[in-house]
Amino acid sequence: MKIEDIQVVGKPLVLATPTEADELASRLWITFPKGYREYVTLLGEGILGGSFVRIYPPWRIEQELPGWRRRIKKYWFWDCSRKLLPKERAAECVILGDTTNGDELIFHPTRPNQLFILPRDSELIFATGADLLTAVEWMCASGKLIEPFSDRNFAPFDSRVISKEREGKETITDPEGESLDDITELAINWAKRHHMRELARKECRKLSPKGGKAKLLYEGVLFDGATQFDAGYGIAWRIEDKETGNSLGVFRWNADDRNQGACYEPAKN
């Protein structure tokens, strides 16, 4: 992938300056991976691949890095890849970006030529290449995180504007460990530990029509509702025809510590 191959759509670019990138590198005592400075100064902040990859500009890295490192220490879930990246070294890493599915792109300051993905839905860490653009292409095309896609459009946005809008609203301070982010991380780790998505996929394959592909609609914790389950886990996929993209139906799967239930609802013609 080359910067010039990326098509910008939508709003004006939200660019970082070379000085901003260099000053952050100096404050953190790091060297950014090859391609990072070019990406944030020529494309800036935004989302690439239609709606998938988000590379953080310097201001977002600086804002989120301390909290991200605390979260990694507290909720580490990739011990089976310890030979590739042990928890102790991961806690020293710098986050460069993420995907809208929750996968995170990182590197260790002593090895800026080796980028890693901490996948949301797998306990296996992936090595994604020696520079940023190679890693971004891997995220879009490897098939490890999502079905490979060819869209390389880039839509700019400014996370600082979103943060200011949030600051302008009335805020409630949560006790430590009880913020929405904390609860979400706990739920994600519980679902991984119990292999919920894998179990749901098996049922989805049984009930869904052949020739369909699953597109995630939602996944989360259920704490109330008119079901036969206690508080538990829920996931739903929209099943689409592989050739036409038309909806074939919706698959839903719920589970708690004792029970599981699945249903498939064919699309109405």
Side-chain angles (χ1 to χ4, degrees):
M1 178 188 294
K2 299 179 181 179
I3 292 287
E4 53 266 30
D5 295 333
I6 299 172
Q7 181 68 41
V8 177
V9 297
K11 303 175 183 178
L13 293 174
V14 182
L15 300 176
T17 66
T19 299
E20 286 176 314
D22 295 342
E23 287 182 348
L24 179 59
S26 178
R27 286 196 296 275
L28 297 179
W29 283 51
I30 64 172
T31 298
F32 280 115
K34 181 182 177 182
Y36 174 79
R37 193 172 184 268
E38 178 187 19
Y39 191 102
V40 297
T41 58
L42 295 179
L43 286 177
E45 185 170 22
I47 187 164
L48 182 142
S51 59
F52 193 58
V53 178
R54 298 177 292 205
I55 300 303
Y56 294 178
W59 54 83
R60 187 168 179 185
I61 291 177
E62 187 164 30
Q63 178 184 10
E64 299 196 10
L65 183 58
W68 177 82
R69 282 176 169 169
R70 287 194 298 271
R71 176 164 57 83
I72 286 298
K73 289 179 181 178
K74 191 172 183 180
Y75 300 115
W76 182 253
F77 197 71
W78 296 273
D79 274 333
C80 60
S81 293
R82 182 173 180 80
K83 290 184 179 179
L84 183 63
L85 182 66
K87 177 182 178 180
E88 295 80 4
R89 299 287 78 81
E92 301 167 348
C93 283
V94 176
I95 182 169
L96 279 180
D98 62 13
T99 73
T100 51
N101 285 349
D103 315 295
E104 294 175 324
L105 177 66
I106 67 173
F107 76 98
H108 193 276
T110 63
R111 296 183 180 180
N113 62 342
Q114 178 60 76
L115 280 73
F116 302 98
I117 281 286
L118 300 180
R120 180 180 181 273
D121 295 322
S122 173
E123 299 175 19
L124 294 175
I125 297 172
F126 298 113
T128 61
D131 63 85
L132 180 68
L133 290 178
T134 298
V136 171
E137 181 64 23
W138 183 95
M139 294 162 78
C140 297
S142 69
K144 299 293 186 179
L145 305 178
I146 195 172
E147 288 190 20
F149 59 89
S150 59
D151 186 346
R152 298 296 181 269
N153 288 345
F154 180 86
F157 69 82
D158 193 337
S159 60
R160 295 167 297 185
V161 173
I162 298 172
S163 296
K164 288 180 180 179
E165 290 174 350
R166 289 174 178 169
E167 290 173 2
K169 299 177 181 179
E170 182 180 355
T171 58
I172 298 173
T173 301
D174 295 310
E176 184 177 355
E178 295 184 17
S179 70
L180 185 58
D181 285 343
D182 291 330
I183 294 169
T184 299
E185 287 302 317
L186 288 170
I188 289 171
N189 286 327
W190 182 90
K192 286 180 177 179
R193 188 162 54 250
H194 292 272
H195 307 288
M196 286 291 154
R197 184 176 278 206
E198 291 87 347
L199 293 172
R201 283 192 185 279
K202 289 180 181 178
E203 292 300 314
C204 185
R205 294 189 189 102
K206 292 178 184 177
L207 297 180
S208 301
K210 294 182 179 180
K213 62 179 180 179
K215 182 175 182 181
L216 184 65
L217 291 177
Y218 64 78
E219 181 180 21
V221 171
L222 310 175
F223 57 86
D224 197 7
T227 73
Q228 70 270 38
F229 300 104
D230 296 329
Y233 168 93
I235 190 169
W237 284 289
R238 180 178 185 262
I239 310 302
E240 299 178 348
D241 186 276
K242 289 183 178 179
E243 295 184 358
T244 66
N246 294 332
S247 176
L248 301 176
V250 173
F251 171 85
R252 291 183 174 86
W253 192 84
N254 296 337
D256 58 29
D257 286 330
R258 296 172 299 280
N259 304 300
Q260 300 174 12
C263 70
Y264 175 76
E265 303 171 5
K268 297 179 180 179
N269 295 327

